[in-house]
């Protein structure tokens, strides 16, 4: 059985929540090896003048514990 570690990462995008989730995984993968899954916990956005100006997702990123 493999132990898995989970970290929380927020991603942002000017385009969409999906892009924000991709950004979170991209950023995490720069310092974490072998990412095995992502869970989007929260979907939020900044709004200005009635328009979304920035999409945000809070994710949990899972990866195996290295021995």
């Amino acid at each position: 059985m493999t132990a898995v570690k989970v970290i929380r990462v927020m991603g942002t995008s000017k385009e969409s929540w999906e892009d924000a989730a991709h950004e979170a995984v991209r950023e995490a993968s720069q310092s974490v090896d072998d990412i095995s899954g992502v869970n989007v916990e929260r979907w939020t956005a900044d709004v200005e003048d009635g328009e979304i100006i920035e999409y945000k997702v809070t994710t949990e990123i899972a990866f195996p514990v290295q021995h």
Side-chain angles (χ1 to χ4, degrees):
M1 181 173 176
T2 302
V4 175
K5 184 170 186 170
V6 176
I7 59 172
R8 186 170 286 142
V9 178
M10 178 182 276
T12 62
S13 169
K14 300 286 185 191
E15 303 301 318
S16 69
W17 280 294
E18 183 177 355
D19 284 349
H22 284 286
E23 177 65 15
V25 173
R26 262 193 305 277
E27 287 297 317
S29 70
Q30 291 184 23
S31 60
V32 174
D33 293 326
D34 302 324
I35 293 173
S36 58
V38 60
N39 175 48
V40 177
E41 285 189 315
R42 293 184 53 194
W43 308 69
T44 60
D46 290 338
V47 176
E48 196 171 278
D49 297 324
E51 298 290 327
I52 294 176
I53 60 168
E54 186 170 53
Y55 298 85
K56 299 177 181 182
V57 296
T58 303
T59 65
E60 289 183 328
I61 307 254
F63 54 96
V65 174
Q66 301 291 325
H67 292 126

